[in-house]
Amino acid sequence: MDDDEAVTRALAGDLGAYEVLVTRYSAIAHRTASLLGAGDEAEDVVQDAFVRAFRHLRSFRRDASFRPWFLRIVANVTHDLTRSRGRRSDLAVRLEREPYTPDGPDDPESAAVGADGRSRLYEAVRRLPAGEREAVVCRYFLQLSEAETAEVLGVRLGTVKSRTFRALRRLREEVGREHL
């Protein structure tokens, strides 16, 4: 069952169809919440986001994609949480829990060099201004398109492009081109 059919059936009262969406998007919702600052409260954020999405399912634009619409809800719930607790979580700590290693090296020396580069990169990402950090997290850690990132963050496409450009420029200066 695709997202459109699941939404249609959920709107008609089929809770099993909504469960399909919950199953399909739980992992990326949890990762999004964690990377955007929920930390140990990511599971609560994800549950709250699914409840809010279900309550507002009727306002979902049927010509849009469900994934970015839902991830925007996750981002909003996460922002509410981080604002309410009055502090930001450390991105490096969050990323260590779920490291981004697409095809890690097999030998220990390469693994150590790779780990050092990753930790330098994570630290540099953590120090980016909030808007730039969020754009980088969505684009490269969550692998969202520019359009999906704009929708998730609630900004224009041009804003995503400029934030990403500035962030990558800063990261290149700080970490070096060999790690990007």
Side-chain angles (χ1 to χ4, degrees), residues 91-172:
L91 179 62
V93 171
R94 292 190 305 268
L95 291 174
E96 284 174 6
R97 287 188 200 135
E98 297 183 69
Y100 176 70
T101 53
D103 291 314
D106 291 332
D107 65 287
E109 182 181 354
S110 294
V113 170
D116 179 57
R118 272 194 310 279
S119 66
R120 287 178 47 207
L121 177 61
Y122 295 155
E123 181 61 27
V125 169
R126 186 190 62 76
R127 288 191 300 268
L128 289 171
E132 293 176 18
R133 182 177 58 249
E134 290 172 349
V136 166
V137 165
C138 286
R139 288 285 291 127
Y140 299 105
F141 293 101
L142 298 175
Q143 299 177 341
L144 300 178
S145 70
E146 288 176 333
E148 290 172 326
T149 298
E151 191 170 337
V152 167
L153 298 178
V155 299
R156 294 177 182 221
L157 183 61
T159 303
V160 169
K161 290 179 179 185
S162 63
R163 286 179 181 176
T164 304
F165 175 81
R166 285 192 308 269
L168 292 177
R169 184 178 63 214
R170 289 179 205 260
L171 292 172
R172 282 185 190 104

Side-chain angles (χ1 to χ4, degrees), residues 1-2 6 15-25:
M1 169 181 338
D2 67 8
L15 294 179
Y18 192 70
E19 188 175 327
V20 168
L21 294 170
V22 170
T23 302
R24 185 172 294 151
Y25 292 108

Side-chain angles (χ1 to χ4, degrees), residues 7-48:
V7 168
T8 300
R9 290 173 60 180
L11 285 169
D14 182 352
L15 294 179
Y18 192 70
E19 188 175 327
V20 168
L21 294 170
V22 170
T23 302
R24 185 172 294 151
Y25 292 108
S26 287
I28 193 165
H30 191 275
R31 187 167 173 88
T32 300
S34 294
L35 290 171
L36 291 179
D40 294 336
E41 297 171 278
E43 188 63 35
D44 293 336
V45 166
V46 170
Q47 288 179 6
D48 189 18

Side-chain angles (χ1 to χ4, degrees), residues 81-88:
L81 171 73
T82 57
R83 265 194 310 270
S84 71
R85 71 179 177 209
R87 61 179 172 80
R88 288 189 232 172

